[in-house]
Amino acid sequence: MATTVKELKATARPKSGKGAARAERRAGRVPGVIYGNNQPPLTISIEDRELRQRILAGRFLTTLVDIDLEGKKHRVIPRDYHLDPVKDFPIHVDFMRLGEGATIRISVPLHVVKAEGSPGVKRGGTVNIVAHAIELECGVESIPQYIEADVGSLEIGHSLHLSDVKLPAGVKALTREDATLVTIVPPSGYAEEQKAAAAAAAGGAAPGAAAAPAAGAAAPAAAPAAAAKAPAGGDKKK
């Protein structure tokens, strides 16, 4: 799975602080910063429309970016961005500078595949995604765009764990191996149906079980009748 590298143009932002950031936003640009790799941080700004398109396109935080800053390119990866709480447009973005051969910790989305072929889904179950992303450690040149979770063999009530997923070469999971990723949830009323089926099976397995007590019940009923005759005979003898 090849690593995608995008390009993004930026301009230097000589001033920092809230006032300078507001001025950039009024000019249609988003303030940001490049940091890391034992180098001083660089304050930058990016055209608002272009940055917004990149964020809305998806996988923004897992895509390598070559930032063209006044003719010099910086290989980075987006680490965070902030949106306006009301208007939902970007107001700040952080990029981490990547050195050659660097290793990074990153959260990669989980893609569920073959759900339509799952026997549990065919019987009315629902795919429940427990983890939408997996924390990984890998080289910056081998960041997977996503991790596939194959649920094609799952039955109702069964789960897919991290240990069941094959990771790309050179990629290490930072989450424990027994972590649950996906489960097949039973449909409504499934538990009651299972209990009813089990009860019916148990009742049909031993049809003579109910007949035995009925036969034995006749004996206790006869005993009192015999006892009732004894006193009558005794009184007559006297």
Side-chain angles (χ1 to χ4, degrees):
M1 199 179 299
T3 302
T4 303
V5 181
K6 301 289 186 178
E7 291 193 0
L8 198 59
K9 287 187 177 181
T11 59
R13 184 165 56 94
K15 294 182 179 180
S16 59
K18 294 183 179 180
R22 283 194 292 266
E24 291 288 346
R25 296 187 192 107
R26 285 195 296 268
R29 303 186 65 80
V30 181
V33 62
I34 299 175
Y35 66 91
N37 200 30
N38 298 319
Q39 298 181 34
L42 298 174
T43 52
I44 62 172
S45 66
I46 299 169
E47 201 272 324
D48 176 86
R49 182 180 300 177
E50 185 175 6
L51 180 61
R52 193 180 310 191
Q53 289 176 347
R54 297 294 179 86
I55 293 174
L56 293 177
R59 297 199 298 267
F60 180 66
L61 296 179
T62 59
T63 301
L64 297 184
V65 179
D66 281 339
I67 292 184
D68 186 344
L69 182 59
E70 299 177 347
K72 183 179 180 181
K73 290 188 176 182
H74 300 261
R75 176 65 58 89
V76 301
I77 188 167
R79 293 307 268 174
D80 196 10
Y81 62 88
H82 301 280
L83 302 177
D84 183 273
V86 178
K87 299 182 179 179
D88 207 34
F89 55 77
I91 58 176
H92 194 274
V93 60
D94 294 345
F95 296 97
M96 186 174 74
R97 190 185 288 109
L98 300 173
E100 186 176 352
T103 299
I104 188 173
R105 294 188 174 193
I106 193 167
S107 180
V108 174
L110 186 74
H111 281 198
V112 175
V113 298
K114 300 182 181 179
E116 65 282 355
S118 164
V121 172
K122 289 181 178 180
R123 293 174 58 200
T126 304
V127 175
N128 177 40
I129 303 176
V130 180
H132 290 270
I134 302 177
E135 296 294 326
L136 303 175
E137 183 178 80
C138 59
V140 295
E141 302 298 335
S142 58
I143 300 174
Q145 295 182 8
Y146 55 84
I147 298 297
E148 284 191 352
D150 185 344
V151 299
S153 62
L154 290 189
E155 263 286 6
I156 290 177
H158 291 194
S159 302
L160 187 78
H161 300 90
L162 182 58
S163 57
D164 302 319
V165 174
K166 184 178 181 180
L167 299 177
V171 176
K172 174 185 176 183
L174 299 177
T175 309
R176 68 181 192 276
E177 290 189 353
D178 63 344
T180 301
L181 304 180
V182 185
T183 61
I184 304 298
V185 180
S188 177
Y190 179 78
E192 288 72 14
E193 291 179 6
Q194 293 295 98
K195 288 180 180 179
K229 292 180 179 179
D235 293 341
K236 193 173 183 178
K237 187 174 182 181
K238 286 180 181 179

